[in-house]
Amino acid sequence: MDSIVPCFDLNLYTEPNSSSTDIPKKITPKMEPIDEHPPFLTPTDHKIPSVPPPSELDVSSEFNRISELFRTTFAQRLQKNGEVAMLPDVDPNLGAIVPYNNPEAQVANAVILPRVGRKHDQRSAELVRVTDLRPEDYRCFRGRIRRTRLLFDSLRAFLVAQIEKGRNSLTPQRRLRVDLKVAQLMKKQGLWLYREKRIVGGIPGVSIGDVFFFRMELCVVGLHGQAQAGIDYVPASQSSNGEPVATSIVVSGGYEDDEDAGDVIIYTGHGGQDKHSRQVVHQKLECGNLALERSMHYGIEVRVVRGLKYEGSTHGKVYVYDGLYRVTDTWFDVGKSGFGVYKFKLVRLENQGRMGSVVLKFAESLRTLQLDAWPKGYVSLDLSSKKENVPVFLFNDIDEDHEPLYYEYLTSTRFPLHVYDHGAKGIGCDCVGGCSDICSCANKNGGEFAYDLNGILVQGKSLIFECGPHCQCPPTCRNRVSQKGLRHRLEVFRSRETGWGARSLDLIQAGSFICEFTGIVLTHEQAQIFTMNGDSLVYPSRFPDRWAEWGDLSLIFSDYVRPVYPSIPPLDFAMDVSRMRNVACYMSHSSCPNVMVQLVLFDHKNISFPHLMLFAMENIPPMRELSLDYGMADEWTGKLSICN
């Protein structure tokens, strides 16, 4: 995993330059103070004085004094903890504290300090808003969010596998709250994001439509800081003027009086319910309810996360970030149960991306929608001609190009015959009743299964051995995952930006198998002949070792060691996809991909010719483009030339 360092302001993360010494390159987004909470006031200064306003010179002088005091105190505390040395001769106007009377102030000179085991037990009450992000800044923030979520998902998969191994049971468990343990471990290591500043508005690096399988993920990335409560807010006891302010809400249908029309929400305040979620007493204008009312008063937007029912989730629900809303009205009303409730009208801000909850519901509706009601642009309802377990769609509403129809669909890679001559006998397990920890195939993986009971990849490895046709175990064996083919509805689509691309119509959970990258395998000598004729080939050796990122727990466990077994020789073959290919061939190249290549063997034991299996590196929402790191792509289009 890439090294990460925190930034003094906003806890921004950036990649250090190889040429830098102590201070990495700085990120300079615009940070606006929130009027409710002057950043230079401490919680004890919450009373607004009634004296006449001071002159600009007095305010500037006081700000400089407080800035210097803050800088000195902060540096001394870090020095005391052994994290950094004192920073001499630092300008007190570095921007660590943004002047309350200067809404145009920027974090242009924020000091970036390295972290060494810093704890983030307490959330900051200081409200800031990040604006004017440059594209390179957004990519940096997005990478930070991606790495944090990848660690959360892979750590959870690891802990689930450990629990299953201890139980020695083949029965999947529905209510494993491992997410709580994962969040605890990450918090202990100071890996929760945005704890040092309370972000108002969008969280840098979190995109509208991002899907979370566990509510604790919302806390870890700073999107919603409450593990159970639906309203996240700065309490009055921590606010500079003694008034609470809300920053985000979760709409999950927990209150019977909620009304959700998408762009407009009638949100019921919290409180007054019993343990069965029944309204039994009147609500009060306090805590989160008062915070929402104060957010309306100050015009502070709130983030909205929707909790939706989803069968593919371990607890039957997923959480989707749907963007920013503004509280426009509030009133006290009699609810359906006859008790008084506070209601808040929230209206979605304009010029935002399409709501992720709408996309999720649309993709799900395609399962039962009549063909004549489908959107225009679908050229084929199954590009694989029923060769796959689920259909592969072809969509183009831009032009008349139907090129993907002209290739023969290939569900599995075709190897040369000599690959299967490596002693087929005796390479399978004899687990007639089902594989256990003593399975010979599991021993090839280092004495453990590569997947949990739900088929989620536990840890990326240089090569994974699955049970195959020579094994005695049943087809339902937990060690048969990638060889079973597609489980998610995929779609090849035409895009003005990337040409042909691939996306899913289903929500894909991080660590799940997606599909195989198929083609006709050519030996080194055959590949040389093809390239002489001008044909473009796929070279598996060029795929980076992205598998090493999945399951990299070095930030959690100090004794973590990257898997080195089994050791395989460099891949010295190419794949021809000029006539036969599958949906994977249309995945775009990305240096920050959401799909990775994992090498797998199951139908032969020649480690020089593995299958290229593709797994999700993150939760991939429906209609989001799938991307791979090809290592080397066309410099103009960002894709393999064969796919354009």
Side-chain angles (χ1 to χ4, degrees):
M1 180 175 293
D2 300 333
S3 60
I4 306 173
V5 293
C7 177
F8 185 75
D9 281 277
L10 294 181
N11 195 22
L12 312 183
Y13 281 23
T14 182
E15 301 295 335
N17 293 330
S18 58
S19 59
S20 63
T21 55
D22 296 328
I23 300 179
K25 182 179 179 181
K26 295 172 287 188
I27 299 177
T28 59
K30 180 178 179 182
M31 184 180 76
E32 300 176 353
I34 306 303
D35 291 347
E36 181 276 334
H37 192 165
F40 54 82
L41 293 180
T42 63
T44 58
D45 298 323
H46 62 276
K47 293 186 178 180
I48 301 178
S50 58
V51 297
S55 64
E56 293 185 5
L57 181 61
D58 293 338
V59 172
S60 178
S61 176
E62 179 66 7
F63 166 70
N64 291 337
R65 185 185 71 82
I66 298 297
S67 296
E68 173 63 19
L69 178 63
F70 183 90
R71 182 196 68 81
T72 304
T73 303
F74 189 89
Q76 288 175 346
R77 186 180 66 179
L78 292 181
Q79 185 186 40
K80 181 180 179 181
N81 293 336
E83 299 182 18
V84 295
M86 282 290 291
L87 302 177
D89 303 326
V90 180
D91 188 345
N93 295 318
L94 279 173
I97 304 178
V98 180
Y100 173 58
N101 62 343
N102 184 7
E104 301 299 326
Q106 298 185 7
V107 198
N109 298 313
V111 180
I112 303 177
L113 303 174
R115 171 189 296 175
V116 181
R118 187 176 180 188
K119 306 302 179 183
H120 290 237
D121 294 334
Q122 298 295 329
R123 297 177 69 193
S124 170
E126 183 176 345
L127 296 176
V128 295
R129 180 187 290 111
V130 181
T131 61
D132 295 348
L133 285 178
R134 299 169 299 179
E136 56 269 29
D137 295 336
Y138 177 79
R139 286 194 296 268
C140 178
F141 284 118
R142 185 65 178 174
R144 179 196 181 199
I145 293 291
R146 171 185 172 274
R147 288 189 293 271
T148 301
R149 298 190 64 187
L150 190 152
L151 177 59
F152 183 97
D153 291 324
S154 57
L155 177 57
R156 180 185 174 277
F158 171 78
L159 294 180
V160 168
Q162 295 300 310
I163 293 175
E164 292 174 348
K165 186 176 182 180
R167 289 179 176 178
N168 194 25
S169 171
L170 298 179
T171 304
Q173 303 294 322
R174 290 181 54 84
R175 295 294 294 178
L176 288 175
R177 292 305 308 273
V178 184
D179 55 301
L180 299 178
K181 180 63 176 179
V182 172
Q184 179 186 12
L185 290 174
M186 294 184 66
K187 186 176 184 179
K188 183 179 180 181
Q189 298 299 326
L191 296 174
W192 284 30
L193 305 184
Y194 304 112
R195 301 287 290 178
E196 296 174 352
K197 301 287 182 182
R198 192 76 68 98
I199 304 295
V200 168
I203 296 294
V206 177
S207 299
I208 294 176
D210 282 352
V211 179
F212 304 82
F213 275 76
F214 303 95
R215 183 151 176 172
M216 289 306 301
E217 287 183 89
L218 306 179
C219 300
V220 171
V221 302
L223 192 59
H224 186 80
Q226 301 293 329
Q228 291 183 321
I231 305 174
D232 189 17
Y233 63 100
V234 177
S237 60
Q238 299 180 19
S239 177
S240 63
N241 62 0
E243 296 181 342
V245 175
T247 56
S248 63
I249 65 171
V250 173
V251 183
S252 58
Y255 286 83
E256 60 186 5
D257 296 296
D258 285 350
E259 300 177 26
D260 190 353
D263 289 337
V264 179
I265 302 172
I266 305 300
Y267 185 78
T268 306
H270 74 79
Q273 289 188 334
D274 61 11
K275 62 180 181 180
H276 301 293
S277 299
R278 295 176 300 192
Q279 199 73 31
V280 293
V281 296
H282 301 305
Q283 292 183 349
K284 299 179 181 180
L285 188 61
E286 59 184 11
C287 301
N289 296 340
L290 180 58
L292 276 177
E293 190 276 333
R294 290 290 83 192
S295 292
M296 179 189 70
H297 174 77
Y298 290 111
I300 297 177
E301 66 275 22
V302 297
R303 298 181 294 273
V304 170
V305 178
R306 282 184 168 87
L308 304 175
K309 293 182 179 180
Y310 186 76
E311 294 182 357
S313 174
T314 56
H315 56 285
K317 180 180 289 188
V318 295
Y319 300 90
V320 187
Y321 174 53
D322 274 343
L324 302 177
Y325 286 66
R326 198 178 301 278
V327 184
T328 62
D329 195 10
T330 180
W331 65 95
F332 189 75
D333 198 359
V334 178
K336 295 180 179 180
S337 298
F339 295 96
V341 295
Y342 280 93
K343 294 186 177 181
F344 303 88
K345 181 179 180 180
L346 293 93
V347 179
R348 194 169 190 257
L349 301 185
E350 297 180 351
N351 302 320
Q352 298 187 86
R354 192 180 182 188
M355 288 186 293
S357 59
V358 172
V359 176
L360 196 65
K361 293 176 182 178
F362 165 76
E364 189 66 21
S365 69
L366 293 180
R367 292 182 179 273
T368 58
L369 204 62
Q370 297 295 328
L371 294 180
D372 55 357
W374 278 52
K376 294 182 179 180
Y378 278 95
V379 180
S380 172
L381 297 182
D382 191 0
L383 198 60
S384 73
S385 300
K386 298 184 178 181
K387 294 179 180 179
E388 296 281 14
N389 302 325
V390 292
V392 178
F393 301 92
L394 177 62
F395 182 82
N396 183 1
D397 61 349
I398 296 178
D399 52 37
E400 300 299 322
D401 191 349
H402 300 163
E403 181 186 0
L405 290 174
Y406 306 144
Y407 299 94
E408 181 178 347
Y409 195 92
L410 190 64
T411 58
S412 183
T413 296
R414 294 188 179 180
F415 295 97
L417 293 178
H418 70 83
V419 172
Y420 298 92
D421 295 337
H422 280 247
K425 295 183 178 180
I427 65 173
C429 68
D430 55 358
C431 308
V432 179
C435 293
S436 61
D437 294 336
I438 61 175
C439 172
S440 60
C441 295
N443 291 332
K444 296 177 183 178
N445 291 321
E448 56 189 14
F449 290 110
Y451 314 104
D452 67 12
L453 294 176
N454 294 310
I456 301 296
L457 183 65
V458 175
Q459 184 181 44
K461 297 184 177 182
S462 57
L463 181 65
I464 287 177
F465 293 88
E466 290 189 5
C467 295
H470 304 289
C471 296
Q472 302 300 313
C473 57
T476 56
C477 172
R478 62 179 296 181
N479 199 33
R480 299 175 184 264
V481 174
S482 64
Q483 60 190 269
K484 292 184 178 181
L486 294 185
R487 291 189 298 173
H488 306 285
R489 298 171 300 162
L490 302 182
E491 177 177 285
V492 177
F493 72 101
R494 188 72 166 167
S495 170
R496 297 186 188 277
E497 291 78 19
T498 60
W500 289 108
R503 60 193 178 194
S504 173
L505 296 182
D506 296 324
L507 172 59
I508 304 178
Q509 185 175 358
S512 298
F513 171 70
I514 299 178
C515 67
E516 180 178 359
F517 198 114
T518 66
I520 306 299
V521 170
L522 305 176
T523 62
H524 180 74
E525 294 74 16
Q526 292 172 326
Q528 288 182 323
I529 297 176
F530 269 71
T531 53
M532 291 175 59
N533 295 331
D535 290 309
S536 297
L537 304 174
V538 178
Y539 294 89
S541 60
R542 293 180 179 176
F543 287 106
D545 294 339
R546 291 285 182 178
W547 56 264
E549 298 181 30
W550 182 262
D552 182 355
L553 306 180
S554 56
L555 293 178
I556 303 296
F557 306 117
S558 59
D559 57 349
Y560 171 82
V561 178
R562 170 174 167 169
V564 295
Y565 177 85
S567 177
I568 63 173
L571 302 181
D572 192 23
F573 67 90
M575 296 174 61
D576 175 27
V577 293
S578 61
R579 293 178 176 83
M580 306 176 71
R581 57 173 63 172
N582 73 339
V583 61
C585 189
Y586 298 97
M587 293 186 185
S588 297
H589 167 76
S590 174
S591 58
C592 189
N594 52 21
V595 179
M596 66 179 178
V597 176
Q598 171 64 66
L599 304 181
V600 176
L601 279 184
F602 65 89
D603 54 349
H604 63 81
K605 67 173 186 178
N606 192 331
I607 61 176
S608 297
F609 292 89
H611 291 266
L612 276 61
M613 301 301 189
L614 307 184
F615 288 80
M617 296 187 70
E618 59 188 57
N619 298 331
I620 305 177
M623 311 304 289
R624 181 167 294 180
E625 185 167 3
L626 305 177
S627 59
L628 275 171
D629 186 352
Y630 288 95
M632 182 178 298
D634 188 282
E635 61 178 337
W636 297 105
T637 63
K639 286 189 164 190
L640 292 179
S641 57
I642 55 175
C643 300
N644 288 305

